[in-house]
Amino acid sequence: MKILEDLTNNAHELQEQMLEEILRRNAGTEYLSRFFPSGQADKLNFKTNVPIVTYEDTKPYIDRIANGETSSILFADPIIQFIRSSGTSGGQQKLIPITAESFEKGKYHLFLVDIVTKKCFSGPDEGKSLSLYFSKPEIETPSGIVASPYLTFYSKTDIFQSNLAKFCTSPIETILCLDNKQSMFCQLLTGLLQRDEVVQLSSIFASVLARATKFLEDYWRELCCNIRTGYLSDWIIDPGCKNAMSLILTGPNPELADLIQQICEDKSWEGVFKKLWPKIKYISSICTGSMSQYISLLEFYGGGIPLVSPSYVSSEACFGINLQPLSKPFDVSYTFLPNTAYFEFLPVNKDGGGKAQETRTMDKPVDLANVKLGQFYEVVVTTLAGLYRYRVGDVLKVTGFYNKSPQFQFVERQNVVLSIDTEKTTEEDLSKAITNAKLILEPFGIMLTAYSSYSDTSSIPGRYVLFWELKMKGSNDLPKLDAKIMEECCCIVEESFGFTYKALRKGGAISALELRVVKHGSFDELMDFYISKGASITQYKPPCCLKSEDAIKILNSAMVGKLFSPKTMFLSALSEG
Ligand code: AMP
């Protein structure tokens, strides 16, 4: 593909041009000008003088713009609006400025993803995508600038409404409906009504597909009833949804209802996507990083349909795309796109096995041209829209190069998730330990559908607590919990943790790991809780570690069993090892 070859072959030059362009336009802003006292805004001075920052450092400028000062204190181009993105470490939502140009760059990346995927799966053009997109209410800053999640903004643009929406089964009114439940019902209903046209099932993040599947489990009877009678449920009161559905749900269709009922009545939902949407070719949804916990669930429901993790994106910038859509979810690498922003990479200390006992970043970032194969980095971004040497907070590992553009595997969010004493466990450590442990559940037909954790320091010594949502493969029944097997899971998790954990645990500074099993659907309640606090369903990332007392309470109240790692077993395993 010529366009991609040009981009990646000229990666270094394009990055240089990108930085020059950003400095040419923005060096005179209040934020940047103080770092160029001599007026010479070149790459060398940029690297020497401009500090590497986090959102909190940029926030005073963003707040000033939100409160009525001109956006030119931060960047030269006019602001279109703010994108509301995932929370900061303090739990606050971030406001990221967007300009016409930064939006164009985002569009370009979507266009590339589309070409790459279409090349891989011949003819998706012939059908439609059941894309589950949701909106949140827009808010206005005191100065009247609109702020909304990216997808809410994007769904309202001409490019989406006049082009892409045609390929989606969901009418635009259902995507714009602000009530997530009505929106989900209508989107699934239209997806079922058009079942013979659906070639792709998609969402931005895999958590939404997991939620949609649970919703389908709870509502398939009602959906079938709507299809059978041709009448929309009377709790769908959103005028946009009602209007759009009246054009699609035009009359009774008992044959289709019978067919869907027969599929959903099957005790096992293995491969249910393929049965419901017989022409489906692939599932497209980000399933790396914290989303990897949904892989087994989606593989189970997909029954062999490829699971494509298309891109690595954030509200701040588009980083890269997956050039090998068919690679296994755990092997996915993203090729950086050098024309979307200026990227730098802070080397991250990790030992050879990638076990992050300490993910302290060193202070000298390198350019995209100088990253080394096998090395871990935290990505730092500079954009036309006012982010300068901004730490995104994601740790990546270089896995290869496509022409001159590096390819990265997503490793984890930079922050430590669990900590007691001097022990620190990262998102990746936790995910690996749980992946090891859940293997022993598989032969018993038990699926781990979601997990989270927290450091319980209410007693001394403290302990790590894991929440696991479990269900049987063929049904939503809660598995019979065999204490021995569950205790072994605890042991495997503890054994998979790093040296410091084991040493502190052996020395008694950390108590036995606790595993709390919660019933099916509990993590949906957790998601509802975060959505009620302002999170967007489309951008929702399940928290690997809970900081909120209320969130912990929600999972505790859904607990159906708890176990501890047996001390003796662990200690003997330790001494053997
Ligand atoms: P948001 O700020 O809500 O737009 O979310 C952006 C964040 O989502 C990124 O900084 C990553 O932590 C995460 N993310 C985005 N794309 C991926 C991906 N492909 N794999 C893993 N995590 C991702």
Side-chain angles (χ1 to χ4, degrees):
M1 204 191 321
K2 170 123 177 41
I3 190 167
L4 199 63
E5 297 301 311
D6 287 349
L7 271 181
T8 49
N9 271 319
N10 299 310
H12 306 167
E13 296 76 7
L14 286 168
Q15 279 284 276
E16 295 295 303
Q17 284 167 20
M18 175 64 67
L19 181 61
E20 278 164 24
E21 184 62 19
I22 293 171
L23 292 178
R24 190 181 63 72
R25 288 202 220 169
N26 294 347
T29 59
E30 182 187 319
Y31 181 90
L32 272 187
S33 59
R34 64 209 159 113
F35 303 118
F36 301 112
S38 65
Q40 200 172 351
D42 56 16
K43 182 175 175 183
L44 187 66
N45 281 329
F46 173 79
K47 292 244 166 184
T48 324
N49 300 343
V50 178
I52 293 176
V53 297
T54 61
Y55 181 75
E56 274 71 18
D57 302 306
T58 312
K59 189 171 178 296
Y61 286 82
I62 303 245
D63 286 348
R64 281 169 59 191
I65 297 169
N67 286 321
E69 282 190 58
T70 162
S71 56
S72 62
I73 56 173
L74 198 54
F75 52 96
D77 295 342
I79 185 168
I80 303 183
Q81 69 155 77
F82 285 115
I83 298 299
R84 279 164 65 197
S85 131
S86 324
T88 59
S89 48
Q92 257 180 321
Q93 294 232 328
K94 294 184 277 185
L95 291 182
I96 308 291
I98 185 166
T99 65
E101 193 160 350
S102 57
F103 173 57
E104 278 298 314
K105 293 196 184 304
K107 252 172 42 189
Y108 186 74
H109 128 274
L110 286 174
F111 156 75
L112 281 180
V113 165
D114 199 44
I115 300 185
V116 171
T117 322
K118 279 191 179 141
K119 222 178 142 207
C120 191
F121 300 95
S122 56
D125 268 347
E126 295 148 20
K128 287 192 173 184
S129 171
L130 171 42
S131 300
L132 292 162
Y133 296 153
F134 298 89
S135 300
K136 276 210 82 84
E138 290 174 335
I139 54 171
E140 266 192 21
T141 67
S143 62
I145 303 175
V146 169
S148 65
Y150 185 82
L151 211 85
T152 305
F153 161 72
Y154 185 58
S155 313
K156 291 188 174 170
T157 59
D158 273 356
I159 173 87
F160 182 77
Q161 300 210 356
S162 54
N163 292 312
L164 294 166
K166 285 191 209 119
F167 299 104
C168 295
T169 52
S170 306
I172 186 71
E173 294 86 345
T174 62
I175 296 175
L176 295 178
C177 167
L178 296 176
D179 180 306
N180 290 164
K181 189 173 161 196
Q182 293 185 55
S183 169
M184 178 76 90
F185 187 89
C186 293
Q187 294 199 51
L188 287 174
L189 185 54
T190 51
L192 291 171
L193 286 164
Q194 300 169 71
R195 72 187 283 267
D196 287 326
E197 290 179 68
V198 172
V199 289
Q200 181 197 165
L201 178 60
S202 80
S203 66
I204 308 286
F205 289 105
S207 52
V208 170
L209 291 185
R211 186 180 176 98
T213 313
K214 171 75 175 53
F215 192 93
L216 200 57
E217 283 169 358
D218 294 342
Y219 284 89
W220 66 263
R221 284 181 189 80
E222 191 172 333
L223 288 161
C224 283
C225 174
N226 281 215
I227 296 171
R228 188 178 309 285
T229 59
Y231 285 110
L232 188 63
S233 294
D234 55 11
W235 58 271
I236 305 294
I237 50 171
D238 178 83
C241 282
K242 276 176 79 171
N243 192 29
M245 295 310 294
S246 69
L247 303 175
I248 296 175
L249 187 64
T250 46
N253 190 341
E255 296 82 30
L256 180 61
D258 284 347
L259 197 71
I260 293 168
Q261 178 173 347
Q262 202 185 357
I263 294 168
C264 295
E265 269 174 350
D266 204 335
K267 178 119 177 69
S268 170
W269 271 36
E270 184 163 11
V272 72
F273 294 160
K274 187 113 193 81
K275 292 179 196 160
L276 288 174
W277 295 286
K279 292 194 184 142
I280 193 169
K281 295 189 176 182
Y282 61 101
I283 300 170
S284 171
S285 194
I286 291 172
C287 53
T288 44
S290 62
M291 297 296 152
S292 61
Q293 59 175 292
Y294 300 113
I295 293 173
S296 45
L297 193 81
L298 294 179
E299 283 180 343
F300 177 77
Y301 289 121
I305 309 166
L307 186 52
V308 179
S309 204
S311 55
Y312 168 38
V313 286
S314 78
S315 309
E316 289 89 348
C318 295
F319 303 100
I321 62 171
N322 175 1
L323 294 183
Q324 289 180 307
L326 286 174
S327 45
K328 292 259 164 270
F330 282 108
D331 299 331
V332 169
S333 284
Y334 301 100
T335 304
F336 261 60
L337 298 178
N339 61 339
T340 59
Y342 178 68
F343 301 111
E344 293 173 273
F345 299 89
L346 274 168
V348 171
N349 275 342
K350 285 198 170 230
D351 71 22
K355 189 156 279 301
Q357 275 316 298
E358 198 183 7
T359 48
R360 186 173 56 82
T361 49
M362 298 178 286
D363 53 6
K364 267 232 165 281
V366 297
D367 284 342
L368 187 130
N370 294 317
V371 296
K372 302 263 176 303
L373 190 67
Q375 170 71 49
F376 294 83
Y377 297 95
E378 184 188 340
V379 61
V380 173
V381 75
T382 296
T383 68
L384 274 166
L387 304 177
Y388 306 106
R389 310 196 91 190
Y390 170 103
R391 292 173 69 164
V392 177
D394 295 335
V395 177
L396 314 173
K397 180 183 179 188
V398 185
T399 50
F401 294 87
Y402 185 81
N403 294 325
K404 292 197 177 129
S405 214
Q407 298 178 302
F408 290 87
Q409 227 162 38
F410 185 93
V411 179
E412 63 191 358
R413 294 287 302 172
Q414 168 70 318
N415 41 6
V416 165
V417 294
L418 289 169
S419 176
I420 288 179
D421 204 304
T422 54
E423 166 15 65
K424 289 175 177 42
T425 288
T426 66
E427 182 178 317
E428 190 200 14
D429 295 331
L430 185 64
S431 152
K432 280 188 174 167
I434 291 178
T435 304
N436 290 341
K438 74 174 185 186
L439 286 180
I440 65 162
L441 296 177
E442 280 172 13
F444 300 97
I446 301 175
M447 287 179 85
L448 172 65
T449 52
Y451 69 80
S452 194
S453 65
Y454 78 101
S455 313
D456 178 7
T457 48
S458 60
S459 55
I460 296 175
R463 61 161 46 95
Y464 292 163
V465 176
L466 302 183
F467 289 103
W468 281 15
E469 184 177 302
L470 298 176
K471 73 179 201 81
M472 292 307 293
K473 253 195 176 159
S475 69
N476 286 334
D477 299 346
L478 186 76
K480 274 214 172 72
L481 297 177
D482 179 311
K484 267 227 162 79
I485 299 169
M486 300 313 292
E487 281 173 7
E488 202 180 331
C489 285
C490 293
C491 288
I492 296 175
V493 170
E494 290 200 298
E495 282 163 19
S496 308
F497 283 160
F499 173 79
T500 316
Y501 181 89
K502 291 181 194 164
L504 292 180
R505 172 87 165 83
K506 193 176 178 188
I510 295 184
S511 301
L513 179 99
E514 182 177 338
L515 176 56
R516 297 183 190 164
V517 177
V518 295
K519 60 175 190 270
H520 186 54
S522 318
F523 276 73
D524 273 343
E525 274 175 49
L526 189 70
M527 189 169 181
D528 287 338
F529 165 73
Y530 282 108
I531 290 167
S532 75
K533 295 269 168 223
S536 132
I537 184 169
T538 325
Q539 280 169 248
Y540 178 75
K541 329 269 178 327
C544 299
C545 176
L546 302 173
K547 303 268 191 268
S548 142
E549 286 289 330
D550 290 339
I552 294 171
K553 259 192 216 147
I554 290 170
L555 291 187
N556 275 340
S557 64
M559 184 165 57
V560 287
K562 76 170 161 182
L563 298 113
F564 292 90
S565 174
K567 249 185 211 151
T568 46
M569 199 166 155
F570 176 71
L571 291 178
S572 68
L574 233 192
S575 49
E576 279 159 24

